[in-house]
Amino acid sequence: VVQLKESGGGSVQTGGSLTLSCVASGGNLVRNFMGWFRQVPGKEREGVAGIFNNTGNTYYADSVKGRFTVSLDNAKSTVYLQMNSLKPDDTAMYHCGADPRPYDGPWLKTAHFAYRGQGIQVTVSS
């Protein structure tokens, strides 16, 4: 069983920064991809960023490119999301996700990951 636990959310003003962390436990062989998605009530979930452990390749949604950075520390089984230049549109519940697939595809954008954490709130005020 894969368990994912997020931390680091909170409230910031426009232009501020936050770093999210997600510690994973269990299911090492099915966590080839680890990343983040976000969801706002009434809207579809959006894959934000992620990284493939087998290649080191990363994925970023167009809306966050140049502002967010995803990284993985295998020794700590932790994936991070450094978020800079935050905007009010970034306000959402952010979830950590994991998936065994070793290749990219539409599932990254729609965030249909095999495993997900409970989520953590990020609020950006103007």
Side-chain angles (χ1 to χ4, degrees), residues 18 21 28 54 77 118:
L18 281 173
S21 301
N28 288 11
N54 60 323
S77 297
Q118 296 230 344

Side-chain angles (χ1 to χ4, degrees), residues 40-53:
V40 176
K43 292 188 177 181
E44 295 290 325
R45 66 175 66 175
E46 176 190 19
V48 174
I51 185 166
F52 289 90
N53 192 33

Side-chain angles (χ1 to χ4, degrees), residues 88-111:
D89 283 350
D90 295 318
T91 296
M93 184 73 77
Y94 283 72
H95 297 262
C96 178
D99 198 278
R101 281 171 282 194
Y103 51 84
D104 60 15
W107 61 275
L108 288 171
K109 187 174 183 180
T110 59

Side-chain angles (χ1 to χ4, degrees), residues 2-126:
V2 176
Q3 293 186 317
L4 304 169
K5 179 64 177 175
E6 304 95 339
S7 62
S11 297
V12 295
Q13 292 190 324
T14 297
S17 298
L18 281 173
T19 300
L20 304 183
S21 301
C22 171
V23 179
S25 59
N28 288 11
L29 296 180
V30 296
R31 287 192 274 113
N32 182 63
F33 172 88
M34 290 191 69
W36 298 87
F37 69 93
R38 61 189 182 188
Q39 191 158 24
V40 176
K43 292 188 177 181
E44 295 290 325
R45 66 175 66 175
E46 176 190 19
V48 174
I51 185 166
F52 289 90
N53 192 33
N54 60 323
T55 61
N57 290 342
T58 55
Y59 163 80
Y60 292 98
D62 288 342
S63 57
V64 306
K65 281 180 182 175
R67 301 187 298 122
F68 290 12
T69 303
V70 64
S71 59
L72 179 64
D73 185 335
N74 277 317
K76 297 181 179 179
S77 297
T78 301
V79 62
Y80 302 95
L81 185 67
Q82 174 67 44
M83 304 185 293
N84 298 326
S85 303
L86 283 161
K87 307 173 183 179
D89 283 350
D90 295 318
T91 296
M93 184 73 77
Y94 283 72
H95 297 262
C96 178
D99 198 278
R101 281 171 282 194
Y103 51 84
D104 60 15
W107 61 275
L108 288 171
K109 187 174 183 180
T110 59
H112 283 91
F113 305 152
Y115 307 95
R116 55 177 283 182
Q118 296 230 344
I120 195 162
Q121 181 67 34
V122 171
T123 302
V124 185
S125 57
S126 56

